[in-house]
Amino acid sequence: MAAPSHRRSLRSRRALVLSAAVVAAGVGAGVVVMNANAGTVDLYHQTLAAKDGWASSGTGTTGGAKADAAHTFTVSTRAQLVKALGSATDTTPRIIKVSGTIDANTDDSGKKLTCADYAAGTGYSLSAYLKAYDPATYGRSKLPSGTQESARAAAQKKQALNVTFKVPANTTIVGVPGTAAGITGGMLQVQNVDNVIVRNLAFAATEDCFPQWDPTDGDDGNWNSNYDSVTLRGATHVWADHNTFTDGPHFDSANPKYFGREYQIHDGSLDITKGSDLVTVSRNQFTNHDKTMLIGSSDTDSVGKLRVSIHHNVWKGIVQRAPLARIGQIHIYNNYYDVTTLNGYAPQYSINSRAKAQVVAENNYWKLPSGAKAAKLLSGDGTGSVKGSGNLVNGTVTDLVAVYNAASSKDLKTTVNWTPTLTTGLETSAAGLPTSLATTTGSGVLK
């Protein structure tokens, strides 16, 4: 290989001058991203590349690239973000630049809000709720109902109004480089809209103050919470790129137990449900979380939709759903999975294919600690398919489906009804992923 030249071309010098000028103009201007293959790219107006996963299909994903100056915003508080988003039905292209970390649990003046603030005036208290629905007296055959359940729902509604950010169509939301941009305690809701880009943001501490007890969920009941950090419901053409998702600083290991079950305050990291379609999830970091990515809300979610591409992401300290896929055509490639227990998050499985999902998983890399079994990396209900190739486990090519089926009573099918073609950037070997993805994924990488 020839030694790289350290001389800058005229084009490169011009790009650097342009970049310096933009930086000098401040965060209100565009940020020019250096790209060795494509020259300079304006981060805020960048669109999804051609053939980069399902979100590039058809009309592609351009977000707010056509936004005018009146619909280009820089926000640093919850109130500013709400104002910039405007009405969820307004399809005017808009670009929202997030500078710094926005705390969703604040009021319009910036005052910090607590769970007690949301519960105030509703009549809800956890102690009263626990007393009302103790299985020893209430039983286990029906969902909670009555005064305390109504009060819990009212308190949860108050929190939801504060922490849910409804994203309209034709929107780009991007973290300003160098500002530790992100949203803590909040949920971006992309519902029944088209053409949305979410990039360069750190999502943390998305917590439900008021989980509901469901004694009928499983053999022993469960506490179920609301709020995914990013939730897609009936959304189309969505690109989620270079974001970081974590429960931190409050990990599940700190959750108490009531009625013998974990009082779970976290839901999903990035869920893709209710007939969402044409989604590309690229170069994100998913860490310290349980139920991470759900594709399809139920076994009867929309047939012919739920087409998702998941590539070049890092999954570390994830218990399950990386992803759990139903019904759709899902391409999972060039991801790095570290299934070492982290901060109490002990992995159960990585990929679950069920409800006739058609998953193609190729050229991914799994790091297994000593004693862990490759047979537990996959899961399914006996109806889903996983067509696997080029997947490495600790550097060794492994037929994950064959290993799983040899140990399971519900075999994964090995053939799918489609062939991926939107594969820009697909690497034919997974060997280098642990190294390359360590510095090229998550928020804060884009400059």
Side-chain angles (χ1 to χ4, degrees):
M1 180 181 294
S5 172
H6 294 286
R7 297 181 61 188
R8 293 178 180 146
S9 66
L10 177 60
R11 179 178 180 182
S12 296
R13 292 197 297 272
R14 286 173 177 168
L16 288 172
V17 170
L18 177 58
S19 178
V22 170
V23 170
V27 298
V31 169
V32 176
V33 179
M34 296 304 300
N35 184 307
N37 297 318
T40 59
V41 177
D42 179 348
L43 176 62
Y44 303 126
H45 292 84
Q46 190 172 2
T47 61
L48 181 62
K51 296 186 178 181
D52 188 349
W54 275 116
S56 67
S57 181
T59 56
T61 301
T62 60
K66 294 182 179 179
D68 58 20
H71 292 88
T72 300
F73 310 90
T74 299
V75 303
S76 58
T77 68
R78 173 192 164 277
Q80 291 172 350
L81 176 57
V82 171
K83 183 177 180 180
L85 287 168
S87 170
T89 61
D90 184 353
T91 61
T92 306
R94 70 193 63 224
I95 295 172
I96 300 174
K97 309 172 188 179
V98 177
S99 179
T101 301
I102 292 175
D103 188 346
N105 288 295
T106 52
D107 66 14
D108 289 345
S109 68
K111 177 186 175 182
K112 178 66 178 177
L113 297 176
T114 67
C115 295
D117 292 315
Y118 297 128
T122 65
Y124 172 85
S125 76
L126 178 58
S127 59
Y129 191 87
L130 294 173
K131 181 178 180 180
Y133 305 112
D134 186 334
T137 54
Y138 185 79
R140 293 181 174 273
S141 62
K142 60 182 179 179
L143 283 169
S145 63
T147 302
Q148 269 301 302
E149 173 56 23
S150 296
R152 185 206 64 82
Q156 189 177 68
K157 183 178 180 180
K158 287 177 65 177
Q159 184 183 11
L161 289 172
N162 212 77
V163 305
T164 302
F165 302 107
K166 297 181 179 180
V167 182
N170 305 317
T171 295
T172 293
I173 305 177
V174 181
V176 175
T179 69
I183 298 174
T184 181
M187 175 174 76
L188 290 184
Q189 180 175 296
V190 188
Q191 182 167 338
N192 298 327
V193 298
D194 180 69
N195 194 29
V196 171
I197 295 173
V198 179
R199 304 183 75 199
N200 204 38
L201 292 171
F203 294 93
T206 307
E207 299 171 2
D208 186 348
C209 289
F210 312 103
Q212 182 188 35
W213 170 244
D214 182 354
T216 70
D217 184 354
D219 294 336
D220 301 310
N222 272 306
W223 292 95
N224 295 316
S225 59
N226 280 344
Y227 319 126
D228 310 317
S229 294
V230 177
T231 187
L232 313 184
R233 303 172 184 174
T236 53
H237 290 108
V238 178
W239 180 28
D241 174 75
H242 278 99
N243 303 294
T244 296
F245 299 84
T246 179
D247 287 350
H250 179 106
F251 300 133
D252 281 354
S253 57
N255 291 340
K257 287 186 176 181
Y258 299 118
F259 308 148
R261 303 295 291 166
E262 180 184 344
Y263 189 68
Q264 180 57 269
I265 60 175
H266 302 115
D267 196 8
S269 291
L270 197 172
D271 281 4
I272 303 165
T273 63
K274 306 291 185 182
S276 292
D277 198 22
L278 305 177
V279 178
T280 296
V281 180
S282 59
R283 299 193 180 276
N284 303 280
Q285 288 200 9
F286 298 93
T287 184
N288 295 308
H289 194 81
D290 185 353
K291 301 173 183 177
T292 307
M293 180 183 295
L294 180 65
I295 301 176
S297 54
S298 71
D299 290 355
T300 57
D301 208 321
S302 303
V303 174
K305 298 185 179 181
L306 299 170
R307 291 172 290 180
V308 181
S309 297
I310 303 168
H311 71 82
H312 292 94
N313 302 281
V314 171
W315 312 76
K316 188 174 184 179
I318 298 304
V319 177
Q320 59 182 316
R321 299 185 182 180
L324 184 156
R326 292 182 170 107
I327 299 170
Q329 296 174 332
I330 295 94
H331 193 196
I332 305 170
Y333 63 95
N334 295 153
N335 296 276
Y336 174 52
Y337 296 86
D338 183 345
V339 295
T340 306
T341 297
L342 178 66
N343 292 318
Y345 293 91
Q348 294 179 6
Y349 66 83
S350 296
I351 299 170
N352 183 307
S353 180
R354 60 194 307 107
K356 300 181 180 180
Q358 303 288 301
V359 175
V360 176
E362 56 181 328
N363 304 331
N364 301 287
Y365 192 108
W366 273 266
K367 176 185 176 182
L368 263 67
S370 177
K373 296 181 179 180
K376 293 187 176 182
L377 297 178
L378 303 183
S379 183
D381 66 349
T383 71
S385 299
V386 176
K387 181 180 180 181
S389 64
N391 296 302
L392 303 183
V393 176
N394 292 341
T396 300
V397 176
T398 304
D399 186 337
L400 295 176
V401 178
V403 172
Y404 170 80
N405 285 347
S408 172
S409 60
K410 295 183 178 180
D411 285 1
L412 286 165
K413 301 181 185 303
T414 58
T415 58
V416 296
N417 61 8
W418 69 294
T419 300
T421 58
L422 304 172
T423 56
T424 292
L426 172 64
E427 299 177 54
T428 56
S429 172
L433 293 176
T435 300
S436 65
L437 296 187
T439 57
T440 58
T441 57
S443 62
V445 170
L446 299 176
K447 304 296 184 182

